[in-house]
Structure formats: C-alpha cells, structure tokens
Amino acid sequence: MNSDANSAGLFASWSMKGKVDIDLGGQVIIFSQPEATMNLFARPGGSEGHYRRRVEALLSLHAGSTADEWQAVAQELGPLFTVHPLHALSSQPELRESMDLWLKAGQQLRLMWSRIEKLTTASPDAWTQAEREEMGLQRLATAGVHITALPEEERRRLAEAYMPQEWASEAGQVVDGIGQQLNSWFRATPSRVVPLVNPSTFQVELVVEQGIQALALMSVLLIRNDRSAFPRQCGRTGCTRITFMKGRRRFCSKACQEAAKSQRYRSRRAAQGE
C-alpha cells in the first residue's frame, strides 16, 4: 500500500467512458460501445473528494430515483458488475446491468460504513459473564428456540453453546462483521485483483474485475485517510441524499438544515393548534 496516508494514488477503478441509457421500465442500465479511448485507471480529478463523490452518488440511489439521477451515477461509475477484459464491451455492442444489483451494492456499502462508524465507539473490553449469557439467550430466541418453555438446566446448557467466547467484545464483533462482508465480496467469481502502474502518474493502482470489490477498496482508502467522516443520509424529511459528514452533522447542506428547522417549527405550531 502507498505509505502516504494523504495520498489517493491507490485506487480501485472500474470506470470507463461510454454511452449510458436508462430503462426504468425494465429496471436495467444499458452501456453501449465506449469511446475510442478506454481507460481502466482512475479518471482525471482523482482526489479524495472525487472518490467520496463517487461513493456518495451510489449510496444516494434508491428505488424512486429518476432516470436523470441514474444516468448521472452510471455515467460517472461505468459498468459496475461486468467482468473484464474492458468490461466485455470490446466483444459485444452493449451490456445490460440490473438496477437491483446497483441498489443492493449501495445497501451493502451503507451496512459496512455503519459498522465502521460503530467501531469508533465500540468497547474493546470483553463482555462480562452475565452479558455473554444474555446474548446466548438472544441468539437462541433468534434461532427460533422457545427458551421460556425449556427447563432452566436445558436453557443454561443451550445458552452456553450460543454465547460468545470469553475474550469476545463489542469491538471484536464489529470487526468480524466488517471482515466477513469484505471477504464475501472478494470470494466472488472472478475475484482477481491486479496491481498495475498507471502510465500517467506512475503510481501503483489496483484494477479489479467487479464493481463491488472496487467499492470495497475505495472505501478502505477513504477510511484510512479520514476516520472522522462517515456517509449519512440527510436528516431532512424527504431528502434522500447521502454525504460524508463529520461529528454531529446530520444535514447534507445548509438549505436542508434550514428547511428541517422550518418543518419542525410548522409541526410545533400545528400541534399547538395555531
């Protein structure tokens, strides 16, 4: 890895230029033959802020997004789930990718980011015996076991089998969840990650074969460079935009913050019958 913590040189890129058509009825994105120059590396403007905007764009997509919104995101990111070489566009006139796959990728990415944010406050201390027993009982209930109908001795025996190890902690649990999620992405077929030297910058970059893997690597880069900013959905009712926010910030813009303030004011007036 690049030793410069502020460098965005190490980047997983899947994007390429091409024609994008959106079929909302068929719920597919159609990528046509790319332009003459096909670029498997990061596009110009590859700053950390640029990578953030790419992540935010995908995270902000939702089932109700307009064709224009889909067009903007797909044009920026290129084919996400199509396999190399050259995303197969060199051998066929067009590619069709399911919008559902893109939305699921955004959901998975949001889950990973929420785990990462939780890790910043998770306790590294091992759970107490009582906490472990309670978690064991909760896992039993989740598995469909009617624990209240079991004799106490049987309940205790099952709870012991289901409860976390003695050394387990909240932080460890979060780390395990992140690791399992990343591993599942890289166990996909194919899962080849190729280090190449970008001829424009002479920096080593990672080229991957599937978009979900690139998203994972991009996220790791952003986490490494700034652990205080996390993607959150805007707190204004009706706004679906997701942006990286620091501290207690909960709105994507000043306009949304003021609009939410006005909404709260109107709600209070209505509740008071004014």
mmCIF file of all heavy atoms in Angstrom, residues 114-128 131-132 135 139 164-178:
data_model
loop_
_atom_site.group_PDB
_atom_site.id
_atom_site.type_symbol
_atom_site.label_atom_id
_atom_site.label_comp_id
_atom_site.label_asym_id
_atom_site.label_seq_id
_atom_site.Cartn_x
_atom_site.Cartn_y
_atom_site.Cartn_z
ATOM 1 N N SER A 114 -21.758 1.749 8.282
ATOM 2 C CA SER A 114 -22.367 1.863 9.608
ATOM 3 C C SER A 114 -21.580 1.056 10.625
ATOM 4 O O SER A 114 -21.429 1.459 11.781
ATOM 5 C CB SER A 114 -23.828 1.395 9.568
ATOM 6 O OG SER A 114 -23.918 -0.002 9.336
ATOM 7 N N ARG A 115 -21.066 -0.089 10.203
ATOM 8 C CA ARG A 115 -20.230 -0.896 11.095
ATOM 9 C C ARG A 115 -18.918 -0.177 11.413
ATOM 10 O O ARG A 115 -18.451 -0.191 12.553
ATOM 11 C CB ARG A 115 -19.939 -2.252 10.443
ATOM 12 C CG ARG A 115 -21.111 -3.211 10.473
ATOM 13 C CD ARG A 115 -20.850 -4.440 9.644
ATOM 14 N NE ARG A 115 -21.838 -5.484 9.923
ATOM 15 C CZ ARG A 115 -22.046 -6.531 9.135
ATOM 16 N NH1 ARG A 115 -21.353 -6.666 8.009
ATOM 17 N NH2 ARG A 115 -22.947 -7.435 9.469
ATOM 18 N N ILE A 116 -18.355 0.442 10.396
ATOM 19 C CA ILE A 116 -17.097 1.151 10.608
ATOM 20 C C ILE A 116 -17.290 2.323 11.562
ATOM 21 O O ILE A 116 -16.462 2.572 12.444
ATOM 22 C CB ILE A 116 -16.526 1.630 9.253
ATOM 23 C CG1 ILE A 116 -16.085 0.423 8.423
ATOM 24 C CG2 ILE A 116 -15.351 2.590 9.466
ATOM 25 C CD1 ILE A 116 -15.802 0.741 6.982
ATOM 26 N N GLU A 117 -18.388 3.047 11.391
ATOM 27 C CA GLU A 117 -18.666 4.164 12.299
ATOM 28 C C GLU A 117 -18.884 3.649 13.724
ATOM 29 O O GLU A 117 -18.418 4.255 14.693
ATOM 30 C CB GLU A 117 -19.880 4.950 11.832
ATOM 31 C CG GLU A 117 -20.154 6.181 12.684
ATOM 32 C CD GLU A 117 -21.186 7.116 12.083
ATOM 33 O OE1 GLU A 117 -21.853 6.725 11.099
ATOM 34 O OE2 GLU A 117 -21.327 8.243 12.585
ATOM 35 N N LYS A 118 -19.570 2.529 13.852
ATOM 36 C CA LYS A 118 -19.806 1.957 15.175
ATOM 37 C C LYS A 118 -18.503 1.543 15.831
ATOM 38 O O LYS A 118 -18.345 1.619 17.058
ATOM 39 C CB LYS A 118 -20.741 0.749 15.065
ATOM 40 C CG LYS A 118 -21.145 0.167 16.411
ATOM 41 C CD LYS A 118 -22.146 -0.962 16.249
ATOM 42 C CE LYS A 118 -22.550 -1.522 17.612
ATOM 43 N NZ LYS A 118 -23.528 -2.642 17.477
ATOM 44 N N LEU A 119 -17.539 1.132 15.010
ATOM 45 C CA LEU A 119 -16.258 0.684 15.543
ATOM 46 C C LEU A 119 -15.532 1.801 16.295
ATOM 47 O O LEU A 119 -14.756 1.536 17.216
ATOM 48 C CB LEU A 119 -15.375 0.163 14.399
ATOM 49 C CG LEU A 119 -14.046 -0.475 14.775
ATOM 50 C CD1 LEU A 119 -14.265 -1.674 15.702
ATOM 51 C CD2 LEU A 119 -13.295 -0.911 13.525
ATOM 52 N N THR A 120 -15.789 3.047 15.912
ATOM 53 C CA THR A 120 -15.111 4.172 16.561
ATOM 54 C C THR A 120 -15.549 4.355 18.011
ATOM 55 O O THR A 120 -14.852 4.992 18.798
ATOM 56 C CB THR A 120 -15.360 5.484 15.788
ATOM 57 O OG1 THR A 120 -16.767 5.776 15.790
ATOM 58 C CG2 THR A 120 -14.873 5.357 14.352
ATOM 59 N N THR A 121 -16.716 3.813 18.362
ATOM 60 C CA THR A 121 -17.206 3.966 19.735
ATOM 61 C C THR A 121 -17.383 2.626 20.447
ATOM 62 O O THR A 121 -17.725 2.601 21.628
ATOM 63 C CB THR A 121 -18.572 4.694 19.734
ATOM 64 O OG1 THR A 121 -19.507 3.965 18.926
ATOM 65 C CG2 THR A 121 -18.420 6.107 19.186
ATOM 66 N N ALA A 122 -17.169 1.523 19.738
ATOM 67 C CA ALA A 122 -17.363 0.203 20.341
ATOM 68 C C ALA A 122 -16.319 -0.070 21.416
ATOM 69 O O ALA A 122 -15.145 0.277 21.267
ATOM 70 C CB ALA A 122 -17.309 -0.872 19.265
ATOM 71 N N SER A 123 -16.733 -0.705 22.479
ATOM 72 C CA SER A 123 -15.826 -1.008 23.586
ATOM 73 C C SER A 123 -14.933 -2.196 23.251
ATOM 74 O O SER A 123 -15.419 -3.234 22.780
ATOM 75 C CB SER A 123 -16.637 -1.324 24.846
ATOM 76 O OG SER A 123 -15.780 -1.807 25.867
ATOM 77 N N PRO A 124 -13.628 -2.060 23.519
ATOM 78 C CA PRO A 124 -12.717 -3.188 23.288
ATOM 79 C C PRO A 124 -12.695 -4.172 24.468
ATOM 80 O O PRO A 124 -12.059 -5.222 24.389
ATOM 81 C CB PRO A 124 -11.354 -2.494 23.145
ATOM 82 C CG PRO A 124 -11.476 -1.294 24.034
ATOM 83 C CD PRO A 124 -12.911 -0.843 23.943
ATOM 84 N N ASP A 125 -13.392 -3.825 25.552
ATOM 85 C CA ASP A 125 -13.383 -4.684 26.744
ATOM 86 C C ASP A 125 -14.239 -5.927 26.523
ATOM 87 O O ASP A 125 -15.304 -5.868 25.911
ATOM 88 C CB ASP A 125 -13.922 -3.914 27.959
ATOM 89 C CG ASP A 125 -13.068 -2.699 28.291
ATOM 90 O OD1 ASP A 125 -11.847 -2.760 28.021
ATOM 91 O OD2 ASP A 125 -13.624 -1.696 28.773
ATOM 92 N N ALA A 126 -13.773 -7.043 27.043
ATOM 93 C CA ALA A 126 -14.510 -8.298 26.906
ATOM 94 C C ALA A 126 -15.839 -8.213 27.648
ATOM 95 O O ALA A 126 -15.954 -7.557 28.682
ATOM 96 C CB ALA A 126 -13.675 -9.455 27.463
ATOM 97 N N TRP A 127 -16.870 -8.870 27.090
ATOM 98 C CA TRP A 127 -18.171 -8.886 27.729
ATOM 99 C C TRP A 127 -18.114 -9.645 29.053
ATOM 100 O O TRP A 127 -17.334 -10.600 29.206
ATOM 101 C CB TRP A 127 -19.201 -9.561 26.824
ATOM 102 C CG TRP A 127 -19.708 -8.667 25.728
ATOM 103 C CD1 TRP A 127 -20.236 -7.424 25.865
ATOM 104 C CD2 TRP A 127 -19.720 -8.954 24.332
ATOM 105 N NE1 TRP A 127 -20.602 -6.911 24.627
ATOM 106 C CE2 TRP A 127 -20.289 -7.823 23.671
ATOM 107 C CE3 TRP A 127 -19.319 -10.040 23.560
ATOM 108 C CZ2 TRP A 127 -20.467 -7.776 22.300
ATOM 109 C CZ3 TRP A 127 -19.495 -9.989 22.195
ATOM 110 C CH2 TRP A 127 -20.062 -8.867 21.573
ATOM 111 N N THR A 128 -18.916 -9.243 29.986
ATOM 112 C CA THR A 128 -18.999 -9.935 31.273
ATOM 113 C C THR A 128 -19.745 -11.256 31.083
ATOM 114 O O THR A 128 -20.406 -11.485 30.055
ATOM 115 C CB THR A 128 -19.740 -9.086 32.313
ATOM 116 O OG1 THR A 128 -21.101 -8.930 31.883
ATOM 117 C CG2 THR A 128 -19.086 -7.711 32.467
ATOM 118 N N GLU A 131 -23.422 -10.640 30.526
ATOM 119 C CA GLU A 131 -23.701 -10.139 29.181
ATOM 120 C C GLU A 131 -23.620 -11.263 28.156
ATOM 121 O O GLU A 131 -24.441 -11.351 27.243
ATOM 122 C CB GLU A 131 -22.723 -9.025 28.821
ATOM 123 C CG GLU A 131 -22.956 -7.724 29.588
ATOM 124 C CD GLU A 131 -21.858 -6.709 29.360
ATOM 125 O OE1 GLU A 131 -20.698 -7.117 29.084
ATOM 126 O OE2 GLU A 131 -22.139 -5.501 29.446
ATOM 127 N N ARG A 132 -22.645 -12.141 28.318
ATOM 128 C CA ARG A 132 -22.487 -13.271 27.397
ATOM 129 C C ARG A 132 -23.684 -14.213 27.483
ATOM 130 O O ARG A 132 -24.170 -14.721 26.469
ATOM 131 C CB ARG A 132 -21.186 -14.003 27.700
ATOM 132 C CG ARG A 132 -19.934 -13.182 27.357
ATOM 133 C CD ARG A 132 -18.656 -13.836 27.869
ATOM 134 N NE ARG A 132 -18.492 -15.170 27.335
ATOM 135 C CZ ARG A 132 -18.338 -16.274 28.071
ATOM 136 N NH1 ARG A 132 -18.335 -16.188 29.400
ATOM 137 N NH2 ARG A 132 -18.182 -17.447 27.508
ATOM 138 N N MET A 135 -26.650 -12.643 25.735
ATOM 139 C CA MET A 135 -26.513 -12.712 24.284
ATOM 140 C C MET A 135 -26.786 -14.122 23.785
ATOM 141 O O MET A 135 -27.366 -14.321 22.714
ATOM 142 C CB MET A 135 -25.111 -12.258 23.865
ATOM 143 C CG MET A 135 -24.858 -10.782 24.106
ATOM 144 S SD MET A 135 -23.227 -10.264 23.560
ATOM 145 C CE MET A 135 -23.419 -10.347 21.794
ATOM 146 N N ARG A 139 -29.599 -15.115 21.040
ATOM 147 C CA ARG A 139 -29.310 -15.885 19.828
ATOM 148 C C ARG A 139 -30.218 -17.105 19.730
ATOM 149 O O ARG A 139 -30.641 -17.498 18.643
ATOM 150 C CB ARG A 139 -27.842 -16.302 19.820
ATOM 151 C CG ARG A 139 -26.873 -15.156 19.615
ATOM 152 C CD ARG A 139 -25.434 -15.632 19.684
ATOM 153 N NE ARG A 139 -24.487 -14.558 19.434
ATOM 154 C CZ ARG A 139 -23.160 -14.723 19.441
ATOM 155 N NH1 ARG A 139 -22.639 -15.910 19.712
ATOM 156 N NH2 ARG A 139 -22.358 -13.693 19.201
ATOM 157 N N PRO A 164 -21.088 -15.830 23.204
ATOM 158 C CA PRO A 164 -19.757 -15.507 22.676
ATOM 159 C C PRO A 164 -18.639 -16.088 23.542
ATOM 160 O O PRO A 164 -18.845 -16.433 24.703
ATOM 161 C CB PRO A 164 -19.729 -13.968 22.707
ATOM 162 C CG PRO A 164 -21.153 -13.548 22.787
ATOM 163 C CD PRO A 164 -21.861 -14.631 23.541
ATOM 164 N N GLN A 165 -17.453 -16.159 22.950
ATOM 165 C CA GLN A 165 -16.281 -16.647 23.677
ATOM 166 C C GLN A 165 -15.924 -15.692 24.826
ATOM 167 O O GLN A 165 -16.336 -14.527 24.835
ATOM 168 C CB GLN A 165 -15.082 -16.760 22.727
ATOM 169 C CG GLN A 165 -15.294 -17.727 21.574
ATOM 170 C CD GLN A 165 -15.400 -19.168 22.030
ATOM 171 O OE1 GLN A 165 -14.771 -19.559 23.016
ATOM 172 N NE2 GLN A 165 -16.203 -19.963 21.326
ATOM 173 N N GLU A 166 -15.138 -16.181 25.758
ATOM 174 C CA GLU A 166 -14.788 -15.388 26.935
ATOM 175 C C GLU A 166 -14.052 -14.106 26.578
ATOM 176 O O GLU A 166 -14.159 -13.108 27.273
ATOM 177 C CB GLU A 166 -13.939 -16.231 27.893
ATOM 178 C CG GLU A 166 -14.695 -17.396 28.517
ATOM 179 C CD GLU A 166 -13.835 -18.179 29.484
ATOM 180 O OE1 GLU A 166 -12.689 -17.739 29.748
ATOM 181 O OE2 GLU A 166 -14.293 -19.222 29.972
ATOM 182 N N TRP A 167 -13.282 -14.152 25.501
ATOM 183 C CA TRP A 167 -12.476 -12.984 25.125
ATOM 184 C C TRP A 167 -13.234 -12.022 24.197
ATOM 185 O O TRP A 167 -12.717 -10.985 23.809
ATOM 186 C CB TRP A 167 -11.202 -13.438 24.414
ATOM 187 C CG TRP A 167 -11.442 -14.509 23.389
ATOM 188 C CD1 TRP A 167 -11.284 -15.857 23.553
ATOM 189 C CD2 TRP A 167 -11.904 -14.323 22.037
ATOM 190 N NE1 TRP A 167 -11.611 -16.530 22.408
ATOM 191 C CE2 TRP A 167 -11.997 -15.626 21.468
ATOM 192 C CE3 TRP A 167 -12.252 -13.227 21.277
ATOM 193 C CZ2 TRP A 167 -12.416 -15.836 20.153
ATOM 194 C CZ3 TRP A 167 -12.680 -13.426 19.977
ATOM 195 C CH2 TRP A 167 -12.758 -14.723 19.424
ATOM 196 N N ALA A 168 -14.468 -12.374 23.810
ATOM 197 C CA ALA A 168 -15.206 -11.579 22.832
ATOM 198 C C ALA A 168 -15.588 -10.214 23.389
ATOM 199 O O ALA A 168 -15.818 -10.052 24.581
ATOM 200 C CB ALA A 168 -16.455 -12.325 22.385
ATOM 201 N N SER A 169 -15.659 -9.223 22.503
ATOM 202 C CA SER A 169 -16.014 -7.859 22.889
ATOM 203 C C SER A 169 -16.882 -7.239 21.813
ATOM 204 O O SER A 169 -17.027 -7.786 20.710
ATOM 205 C CB SER A 169 -14.756 -7.006 23.077
ATOM 206 O OG SER A 169 -14.094 -6.836 21.826
ATOM 207 N N GLU A 170 -17.447 -6.088 22.111
ATOM 208 C CA GLU A 170 -18.266 -5.371 21.136
ATOM 209 C C GLU A 170 -17.430 -4.984 19.918
ATOM 210 O O GLU A 170 -17.854 -5.160 18.779
ATOM 211 C CB GLU A 170 -18.863 -4.122 21.778
ATOM 212 C CG GLU A 170 -19.764 -3.332 20.840
ATOM 213 C CD GLU A 170 -20.241 -2.023 21.446
ATOM 214 O OE1 GLU A 170 -19.649 -1.585 22.458
ATOM 215 O OE2 GLU A 170 -21.188 -1.434 20.912
ATOM 216 N N ALA A 171 -16.231 -4.464 20.163
ATOM 217 C CA ALA A 171 -15.360 -4.069 19.052
ATOM 218 C C ALA A 171 -14.985 -5.269 18.196
ATOM 219 O O ALA A 171 -14.968 -5.192 16.962
ATOM 220 C CB ALA A 171 -14.101 -3.388 19.587
ATOM 221 N N GLY A 172 -14.693 -6.397 18.844
ATOM 222 C CA GLY A 172 -14.345 -7.596 18.095
ATOM 223 C C GLY A 172 -15.479 -8.081 17.222
ATOM 224 O O GLY A 172 -15.261 -8.535 16.093
ATOM 225 N N GLN A 173 -16.693 -7.972 17.720
ATOM 226 C CA GLN A 173 -17.862 -8.383 16.961
ATOM 227 C C GLN A 173 -18.028 -7.510 15.716
ATOM 228 O O GLN A 173 -18.336 -8.005 14.629
ATOM 229 C CB GLN A 173 -19.110 -8.292 17.837
ATOM 230 C CG GLN A 173 -20.378 -8.803 17.169
ATOM 231 C CD GLN A 173 -21.589 -8.650 18.075
ATOM 232 O OE1 GLN A 173 -21.823 -7.583 18.640
ATOM 233 N NE2 GLN A 173 -22.354 -9.713 18.226
ATOM 234 N N VAL A 174 -17.818 -6.205 15.879
ATOM 235 C CA VAL A 174 -17.938 -5.286 14.741
ATOM 236 C C VAL A 174 -16.861 -5.593 13.703
ATOM 237 O O VAL A 174 -17.135 -5.635 12.495
ATOM 238 C CB VAL A 174 -17.835 -3.822 15.208
ATOM 239 C CG1 VAL A 174 -17.860 -2.877 14.009
ATOM 240 C CG2 VAL A 174 -18.973 -3.481 16.161
ATOM 241 N N VAL A 175 -15.635 -5.825 14.169
ATOM 242 C CA VAL A 175 -14.525 -6.148 13.261
ATOM 243 C C VAL A 175 -14.829 -7.423 12.481
ATOM 244 O O VAL A 175 -14.590 -7.513 11.273
ATOM 245 C CB VAL A 175 -13.208 -6.287 14.045
ATOM 246 C CG1 VAL A 175 -12.120 -6.895 13.161
ATOM 247 C CG2 VAL A 175 -12.757 -4.929 14.563
ATOM 248 N N ASP A 176 -15.373 -8.429 13.167
ATOM 249 C CA ASP A 176 -15.720 -9.688 12.494
ATOM 250 C C ASP A 176 -16.754 -9.448 11.396
ATOM 251 O O ASP A 176 -16.669 -10.022 10.305
ATOM 252 C CB ASP A 176 -16.264 -10.702 13.501
ATOM 253 C CG ASP A 176 -15.174 -11.282 14.383
ATOM 254 O OD1 ASP A 176 -13.987 -11.125 14.028
ATOM 255 O OD2 ASP A 176 -15.510 -11.892 15.423
ATOM 256 N N GLY A 177 -17.743 -8.598 11.695
ATOM 257 C CA GLY A 177 -18.776 -8.312 10.702
ATOM 258 C C GLY A 177 -18.210 -7.633 9.473
ATOM 259 O O GLY A 177 -18.563 -7.974 8.340
ATOM 260 N N ILE A 178 -17.299 -6.682 9.677
ATOM 261 C CA ILE A 178 -16.661 -5.995 8.547
ATOM 262 C C ILE A 178 -15.832 -6.986 7.733
ATOM 263 O O ILE A 178 -15.881 -6.998 6.501
ATOM 264 C CB ILE A 178 -15.775 -4.842 9.056
ATOM 265 C CG1 ILE A 178 -16.638 -3.756 9.713
ATOM 266 C CG2 ILE A 178 -14.961 -4.244 7.905
ATOM 267 C CD1 ILE A 178 -15.838 -2.693 10.427
#
